[in-house]
Amino acid sequence: MNESNREPTLSVVDPTIAQLIADEERRETVKLRLIPSENYVSRAVLEASGSVLTNKYSEGYANKRYYEGQQIVDEIENLACSRLCELFGADHVNVQPYSGSPANLAVYFAFCQPHDPIMGLGLPAGGHLTHGWNVSITGKYFQSHAYGVRKEDHRIDFAEVRALAKEHKPKLMWCGTTAYPRILEFDKFREIADEVGAVLAADIAHISGLVAAGVHPSPIGIADVVTSTTHKTFRGPRGGMIFCKKEHAKAINRAVFPGLQGGPHNHVTAGIAVAAKEASMPEFKTYAQNVVDNAKVLAEALAGKGFDLVTGGTDNHLILLDLTPKNVPGKVAAQALDKAGIVGNYNSVPFDPRKPFDPSGLRIGTPAITSRGMGKDEMLKLADWMDRVVAAPDDDALLTQVAREVEELCRSFPPPGIPA
Ligand SMILES: *Cc1c(COP(=O)(O)O)cnc(C)c1O
């Protein structure tokens, strides 16, 4: 028996946490997880990110570290970077940001001074907090001018983007979304950024897996900087990455370290390297295509049942439903659906008359259920369950019955990364 086998396991050292993790494994197994920013990582990614690499400090970058003992970590970080650059066709990538929000902060730090004018899609229109929304540090430390979507079709209002850009001359312009079901037209943003001399940053946190697989257009080569999380459609561990053109590599690296962070999370870097390898396989292309196909099938089925879809449908992995015509607030629907084993999140819709904590919408997506191998038949069942639950969110007997049916279906589609 070696040393590690004699060491007590988690369930011996901390049975409470061990049990809670087991409970979460069960929750992730028996429910349909529709939160569009969530996914399942593979067992391989889990192994890499739960490794001894968490023990190592390595401030700096490969061959320029501030501590000794980097022989192995340097190789891992170089592999993560070279795989990602090849996969995305990028000049340079930094994989050290702790998550998506710190990656975005590093972009501000690289290109802006405090109080500089910046632009991003407003939160209520489907943008992210870190693109200058007022409760975020990015809205407080910079002079933020939010653009929105058009009243008539809820698509990005490029006339407004151009007018605001000409008026305020932003240093930095964000394009990227967290609740927008349509293709992002990066070239249109590029045109406007060029007209006013702004740095264009694309935040592909939600869609980087789709971009890697070629089922959503890529901003690489169009935007000056591209940020992303690694844990959404990309199916890596929780982390962040920043791609940029060669001329910005130094500024980005300096902004991440020593500008914003200390030591990188090497166990996460290893997990990202594994995810990058997985995302370069033909199976991943199929996966990403299935994510989009499933979202379309689900959207059409829901529309057929009288649901109001923001923008009328979807081009990507997510669907935003305006529940106003169903006379059910988003939160009531989300809570009833969760009881029925269907987990989404309540969300504002564009021009929402209700408050952000009690909005009119529900946001759902197909990345996680597609990772389980679900397809068209399951999407149709899901639309049917959602319809029944939203029609009677207070009917506890119905919610219990649907939860039972959901669990039964889930049994046939074991998720990646979770032991049966
Ligand atoms: C999720 C997301 C982020 C933030 O990522 P965290 O890892 O939660 O910090 C940033 N931008 C967009 C567009 C996102 O969807």
Side-chain angles (χ1 to χ4, degrees):
M1 222 203 230
N2 66 32
E3 197 61 34
S4 69
N5 286 347
R6 273 203 303 278
E7 210 178 314
T9 61
L10 177 62
S11 53
V12 172
V13 175
D14 193 337
T16 313
I17 288 293
Q19 185 57 52
L20 288 169
I21 293 174
D23 292 348
E24 175 64 12
E25 283 180 352
R26 181 176 151 73
R27 192 193 69 83
E28 292 188 13
T29 303
V30 303
K31 291 196 172 191
L32 290 168
R33 298 172 57 235
L34 299 182
I35 295 174
S37 48
E38 294 185 359
N39 214 327
Y40 295 94
V41 298
S42 67
R43 178 179 176 168
V45 167
L46 266 186
E47 258 179 51
S49 48
S51 67
V52 292
L53 292 161
T54 193
N55 296 339
K56 183 71 195 114
Y57 243 105
S58 38
E59 287 179 345
Y61 295 98
N63 303 317
K64 287 178 293 256
R65 305 277 189 187
Y66 291 79
Y67 299 97
E68 295 313 310
Q70 311 295 349
Q71 297 84 352
I72 292 133
V73 159
D74 275 7
E75 263 192 65
I76 290 170
E77 192 170 323
N78 283 339
L79 260 177
C81 292
S82 59
R83 285 175 183 173
L84 286 170
C85 281
E86 185 169 347
L87 180 62
F88 284 88
D91 290 349
H92 176 78
V93 66
N94 184 309
V95 291
Q96 295 193 2
Y98 299 142
S99 209
S101 304
N104 289 353
L105 268 188
V107 172
Y108 287 94
F109 198 49
F111 296 107
C112 297
Q113 296 297 318
H115 312 300
D116 271 350
I118 62 115
M119 280 177 58
L121 179 65
L123 189 74
H128 192 260
L129 283 165
T130 55
H131 299 178
W133 197 240
N134 55 15
V135 298
S136 153
I137 188 169
T138 61
K140 295 204 190 296
Y141 286 24
F142 301 95
Q143 190 201 122
S144 168
H145 305 282
Y147 55 87
V149 293
R150 292 187 296 232
K151 262 230 152 76
E152 64 272 23
D153 61 2
H154 295 166
R155 305 228 181 187
I156 288 173
D157 186 346
F158 283 100
E160 188 187 19
V161 178
R162 177 169 277 113
L164 284 173
K166 293 214 150 128
E167 185 183 349
H168 300 292
K169 300 273 184 296
K171 205 59 169 295
L172 176 65
M173 185 187 292
W174 287 101
C175 55
T177 61
T178 186
Y180 187 72
R182 295 299 179 174
I183 296 284
L184 280 172
E185 297 163 293
F186 300 115
D187 43 347
K188 289 194 181 170
F189 284 102
R190 177 77 267 172
E191 213 179 287
I192 298 171
D194 283 344
E195 287 169 22
V196 299
V199 170
L200 181 65
D203 177 352
I204 57 170
H206 263 257
I207 55 172
S208 50
L210 308 183
V211 169
V215 303
H216 186 291
S218 174
I220 304 276
I222 299 174
D224 300 288
V225 204
V226 178
T227 64
S228 183
T229 59
T230 49
H231 48 271
K232 297 181 182 175
T233 52
F234 193 64
R235 257 163 79 176
R238 302 196 86 80
M241 51 189 174
I242 308 176
F243 298 92
C244 65
K245 297 180 176 172
K246 223 180 216 99
E247 70 226 62
H248 301 307
K250 215 173 193 170
I252 288 294
N253 280 358
R254 270 205 204 123
V256 174
F257 174 86
L260 199 63
Q261 300 186 169
H265 293 178
N266 298 311
H267 53 303
V268 174
T269 306
I272 293 171
V274 175
K277 182 173 183 183
E278 290 175 346
S280 65
M281 306 287 192
E283 296 87 319
F284 191 84
K285 275 201 171 52
T286 310
Y287 162 70
Q289 186 62 56
N290 290 344
V291 167
V292 173
D293 291 348
N294 280 341
K296 274 207 169 61
V297 170
L298 181 57
E300 274 162 26
L302 289 169
K305 292 179 184 300
F307 280 90
D308 180 3
L309 280 59
V310 171
T311 76
T314 180
D315 299 328
N316 59 21
H317 63 298
L318 78 78
I319 298 166
L320 188 57
L321 300 168
D322 183 348
L323 297 175
T324 311
K326 298 275 184 191
N327 282 315
V328 182
K331 201 179 203 170
V332 172
Q335 287 171 350
L337 285 163
D338 190 18
K339 279 189 199 156
I342 298 166
V343 193
N345 63 274
Y346 60 86
N347 210 100
S348 292
V349 297
F351 311 102
D352 203 326
R354 302 176 66 93
K355 297 254 177 321
F357 199 63
D358 184 23
S360 304
L362 181 74
R363 190 183 69 146
I364 56 174
T366 51
I369 52 176
T370 306
S371 290
R372 306 178 75 145
M374 292 184 183
K376 186 171 182 206
D377 291 349
E378 291 71 41
M379 298 310 116
L380 298 179
K381 278 187 192 147
L382 176 54
D384 196 47
W385 284 322
M386 287 182 65
D387 186 38
R388 282 157 62 199
V389 170
V390 170
D394 300 322
D395 184 344
D396 282 329
L398 171 75
L399 305 189
T400 309
Q401 175 57 30
V402 171
R404 218 174 285 134
E405 292 171 23
V406 164
E407 185 168 346
E408 176 68 29
L409 177 77
C410 284
R411 216 169 290 147
S412 309
F413 294 91
I418 300 180

